[in-house]
Amino acid sequence: MLGFTRYVARIGPAKAQFVGGLRRQRERRSGFNPHGQLVKALKADVAFRTGGSHLAGVTDLVKPRWRPLYEAVSAGAATYLQSLGDPDDVSLAQTRDALASVGPLAVKINPHFGLRFADGRREAVRLHFDEDPPSAEAVTATLHLMARHMDQILPEAEPVLVDLRRGAVHRIDAAARTADVERWLAGEAAAFSAMWTAVAA
């Protein structure tokens, strides 16, 4: 899902450049997720109701090369954690990945974690770590794909995208027409698939 949502956020020739880079990365089987420790710390603070102590200490636990990244993200993560309210009123909920068919493209839908609130609400949370805020297109694609498969991911939950560097929460635009979003995503997926095939040729 990350690759596809980053793709839809680009315009013009940048789309083809991005697909080419993604294909080469796949062929080299390269790629490393530097954010794993931060996600674990955030989840630990929710699970153990520790109010951010895990987030506060995680920067010292990672390799020196990743510390600037963690310093840039951890403050926003703490802001997001505080926005959840009383720690006693929120807990982690188990989520499952789903496989979406978007036009000719198979897209893996993988939230980072789920939340359960004391009032019965549930949220399936996807985190955005990039330096730039998520574009409107990326927000729409991410939240729509999660909502479409919420029965598999976390039944009766609301999809949420968290811009972690800024601690900002994005939710589905109630005014957006689902049919229009579906048509747009199908077109983007078709173009992505065509570019992927062209790079391989």
Side-chain angles (χ1 to χ4, degrees), residues 108-196:
K108 185 178 182 181
I109 313 300
N110 49 350
H112 286 96
F113 54 87
L115 296 175
R116 183 182 292 108
F117 295 86
D119 62 5
R121 291 181 297 118
R122 296 179 176 185
E123 292 180 352
V125 181
R126 177 78 189 175
L127 303 175
H128 175 89
F129 298 95
D130 293 353
E131 186 173 348
D132 293 328
S135 68
E137 293 82 2
V139 170
T140 298
T142 300
L143 295 179
H144 178 81
L145 289 172
M146 289 174 64
R148 193 218 269 184
H149 296 275
M150 198 55 72
D151 285 349
Q152 297 170 256
I153 294 170
L154 181 60
E156 300 180 7
E158 178 186 6
V160 171
L161 178 65
V162 179
D163 178 2
L164 211 54
R165 289 185 185 240
R166 284 149 285 269
V169 176
H170 297 272
R171 303 179 188 276
I172 282 184
D173 180 1
R177 295 178 56 186
T178 300
D180 291 342
V181 176
E182 283 283 349
R183 282 192 291 271
W184 168 66
L185 287 175
E188 292 287 344
F192 182 101
S193 297
M195 292 179 191
W196 186 276

Side-chain angles (χ1 to χ4, degrees), residues 17-192:
Q17 293 169 2
F18 176 77
V19 173
L22 200 63
R23 174 105 196 190
R24 288 189 293 273
Q25 184 182 69
R26 177 71 58 85
E27 289 170 348
R28 293 194 302 266
R29 296 183 180 179
S30 62
F32 169 70
N33 175 16
H35 306 112
Q37 289 288 93
L38 190 135
V39 175
K40 287 180 182 178
L42 177 56
K43 291 172 67 175
D45 276 324
V46 173
F48 301 115
R49 298 174 169 86
T50 41
S53 62
H54 287 86
L55 282 172
V58 72
T59 301
D60 295 329
L61 300 178
V62 297
K63 294 180 179 179
R65 66 176 295 195
W66 298 119
R67 284 177 188 164
L69 170 64
Y70 273 59
E71 289 168 354
V73 176
S74 59
T79 298
Y80 165 65
L81 181 66
Q82 292 167 8
S83 77
L84 297 177
D86 188 336
D88 289 335
D89 291 339
V90 60
S91 59
L92 290 178
Q94 180 66 48
T95 59
R96 294 181 174 84
D97 293 348
L99 192 63
S101 295
V102 187
L105 197 63
V107 179
K108 185 178 182 181
I109 313 300
N110 49 350
H112 286 96
F113 54 87
L115 296 175
R116 183 182 292 108
F117 295 86
D119 62 5
R121 291 181 297 118
R122 296 179 176 185
E123 292 180 352
V125 181
R126 177 78 189 175
L127 303 175
H128 175 89
F129 298 95
D130 293 353
E131 186 173 348
D132 293 328
S135 68
E137 293 82 2
V139 170
T140 298
T142 300
L143 295 179
H144 178 81
L145 289 172
M146 289 174 64
R148 193 218 269 184
H149 296 275
M150 198 55 72
D151 285 349
Q152 297 170 256
I153 294 170
L154 181 60
E156 300 180 7
E158 178 186 6
V160 171
L161 178 65
V162 179
D163 178 2
L164 211 54
R165 289 185 185 240
R166 284 149 285 269
V169 176
H170 297 272
R171 303 179 188 276
I172 282 184
D173 180 1
R177 295 178 56 186
T178 300
D180 291 342
V181 176
E182 283 283 349
R183 282 192 291 271
W184 168 66
L185 287 175
E188 292 287 344
F192 182 101

